[in-house]
Amino acid sequence: MHNTPRVVVVGAGAFGGWTALYLLRHGARVTLIDAWGPGNSRASSGGETRIIRGGYGADQPYTRMAARALELWSDHERLWGRRLLCRIGVLWMAYGDDSFERGSLSELRAAGVRYEELSCRELRQRWSQINFDGVEWGIYESGSGYLTARTACQAVVEGFIAEGGEYRQVAVSSTGLDSTDWRSLRLSDESNVKADKFVFACGPWLGKLFPQTIGDRISVTKQDMFFFGTPCGDRRYDESELPVWADHSGRFYYGIPANLGRGFKITDDARGPIFDPTWGERVISRELLQSVREYMAFRFPGMANAPLVETRVCQYENSPDTHFIVDRHPARADVWLLGGGSGHGFKHGPALGEMVAGWIVHDKDADPLFRLSRFRAQS
Ligand SMILES: Cc1cc2nc3c(=O)[nH]c(=O)nc-3n(C[C@H](O)[C@H](O)[C@H](O)COP(=O)(O)OP(=O)(O)OC[C@H]3O[C@@H](n4cnc5c(N)ncnc54)[C@H](O)[C@@H]3O)c2cc1C
């Protein structure tokens, strides 16, 4: 038993929760800590839903990771008897510079993600509620779709506890974390916690906890989500008749059809203003609302006069190159930093957790793509 490493994971979002679960499965004794709880309203993993898709353009590791994540989300849905993965399909609309979609095709094929390439005529036949003006062709990922967000994070923590993990809802003091001389973490309930290894998966807070090592290498931006009410008795804009969709030309609008009693979700992927995840007031921008409405009226004409029924403000925690950050602290081999989801991290939670837990337990280095040294090489 004394050879069993003791690991503390700080942050029970998509990255920390899954990593803690897989650390446990690799034989570690694990304590998972979160200040406000898994998928809380301030966390980047909060809210109702997230997209899971394999399309990522060419030459990247994420299609493969998404394919593995699809398997793992399915496995855990069965294991826990909870609805986590809704395979309603993902539709990519391609036109103009379609290098992203073209580049995605071979990656989808290589990773075994199910998809169809559709002509504009086929698109119009399948989804008459979408105005495909300007669209030249599309990719339909039939086995992809959306994930539950907050409830999935809660399910992960419940599964973690059921498998023998310890979960504590307390905050970790950030004072001095970036130095080399601490041996235990100070917690908001005045206790301390010791471990052989520490993992900080603190999403948009990671730069504040590690101001020298991370600092503004993770920029936190305000992202507004809009939910519109679908027409009364009309199911054309809910998940029974419409897939998740992405219009990736010029501006990147994407959305999830009405589901789980919520409205038709739509947003613009453009990075918003810098945002404070602890103190920021979560009020949407009227200008963005206007541009989203105009786009929706054009692409989904039946939703032209739909009322706004809900809004949500979340934040992206962006790394400079949008790749994840997974590495040891440069001055502390026992401290791992995990973050930089950059607006696309949620879906990868189980695949990332599985991979990173192996590196941590077996004392391996992270994949160079995710290491901090890539930034030092640039500066
Ligand atoms: C609007 C929006 C839409 C998105 N859409 C998608 C999508 O469609 N598909 C997709 O795959 N991804 C999407 N993403 C990205 C994805 O949601 C994030 O990359 C991912 O959830 C990040 O998870 P995380 O665990 O790193 O961070 P978080 O979920 O923020 O978790 C960090 C946790 O750390 C805790 N914490 C912080 N400081 C402390 C402390 N001092 N002590 C204790 N606990 C602490 C917090 O309470 C929090 O729970 C989206 C993000 C946003 C905001």
Side-chain angles (χ1 to χ4, degrees), residues 51-52 86 88-92 140 145-146 242-246 255-257:
I51 296 170
I52 181 157
C86 307
I88 64 167
V90 172
L91 171 65
W92 294 93
Y140 178 57
Y146 74 88
L242 192 68
V244 169
W245 56 271
I256 303 182

Side-chain angles (χ1 to χ4, degrees), residues 1-6 27 196:
M1 197 62 183
H2 57 273
N3 282 335
T4 308
R6 182 166 176 151
D196 303 307

